[in-house]
Amino acid sequence: RKEVEQDPGPFNVPEGATVAFNCTYSNSASQSFFWYRQDCRKEPKLLMSVYSSGNEDGRFTAQLNRASQYISLLIRDSKLSDSATYLCVVNGNAGNMLTFGGGTRLMVKP
Amino acid sequence: SAVISQKPSRDICQRGTSLTIQCQVDSQVTMMFWYRQQPGQSLTLIATANQGSEATYESGFVIDKFPISRPNLTFSTLTVSNMSPEDSSIYLCSVLLGTEAFFGQGTRLTVV
C-alpha cells in the first residue's frame, strides 16, 4: 500500500462546477498535511496547508479527518486556470521528510 | 519564501555518460532535498543533502549512482552517473522553510 494515495483522475469538469478530491495516508503518526499544485511542466507549489480544524482560502477548502486518515480538497466555482495536478503531501514523523501522493489531475473546460 | 535556481532545465544525454544538476538557493538552508519525478508519477525522494556531511539516500538510491555535493548552505549538485534510458525523468531540488517546500524549476533529462 502506498503511503499517500490519490485518485489520479483526470477529473473533467465544466467551468463553475464544484469538485472534490480525497487523499488517504497510511502513517497514523503523520503531523502535517498539505495540498500542492503542479502545472504542466512546472514545479509543485504550495496551495494550502490542511489543519485539523479545516482551512478555507477563497474557493478552496481543505479538511483533515485523522480518524479515517484522509484529507480532502474542495474547489468551488472552478475556473479554467484551476486546471493542474493537485498533490497531497504528508509530513511524517521522520523529521522533515515529505511524502507525496501520485497527484490528481483536474481539467476544467469551458 | 525561497527562490531556487536549477540548471540545466533540460538535457538529452547519451547512455553511459553522466550529468550534473546544480541548485542555488537565495538563502542559507540546512537541508536540501533531491527528488525524481517520472512521467505521470509523483515525486520520489532520492536523498537529503546536509552541508558538511554525506547525503542520506532513500531506499533504492545509492551514492555511486547519484553522488551529491553540498559545499555550502546555498548550493548543491546531484550527478546522475552512467546513465541509462531508465534514468529519463525530471529531477527536482527542494528546500523547506518552516513547513513549506520550495522547488527548483526541474531538470528534464532524456537518455538516449
Side-chain angles (χ1 to χ4, degrees), chain A residues 6-11 102-106:
Chain A
Q6 296 180 248
D7 181 344
F11 284 62
T104 297
R105 189 172 171 207
L106 171 66

Side-chain angles (χ1 to χ4, degrees), chain B residues 1-68:
Chain B
S1 67
V3 176
I4 305 176
S5 175
Q6 181 174 347
K7 56 183 181 182
S9 58
R10 59 177 61 234
D11 208 340
I12 301 174
C13 300
Q14 295 288 328
R15 65 180 69 198
T17 63
S18 299
L19 175 72
T20 296
I21 303 167
Q22 301 180 5
C23 275
Q24 178 77 50
V25 190
D26 67 343
S27 56
Q28 295 184 337
V29 291
T30 305
M31 291 191 287
M32 291 181 71
F33 304 89
W34 287 97
Y35 290 90
R36 181 171 73 185
Q37 185 174 29
Q38 295 182 311
Q41 304 294 317
S42 190
L43 283 74
T44 300
L45 182 64
I46 298 171
T48 303
N50 294 309
Q51 193 268 334
S53 63
E54 282 206 358
T56 303
Y57 289 82
E58 298 302 306
S59 175
F61 299 98
V62 295
I63 188 171
D64 290 345
K65 176 67 176 177
F66 298 101
I68 287 172

Side-chain angles (χ1 to χ4, degrees), chain A residues 36 38 41 43-44 96 100-101, chain B residues 31 37 42 96 101 103-104 108:
Chain A
Y36 277 71
Q38 185 172 25
R41 296 179 178 267
E43 72 275 20
N96 288 322
F100 289 79
Chain B
M31 291 191 287
Q37 185 174 29
S42 190
L96 274 179
F103 293 86
R108 184 176 295 270

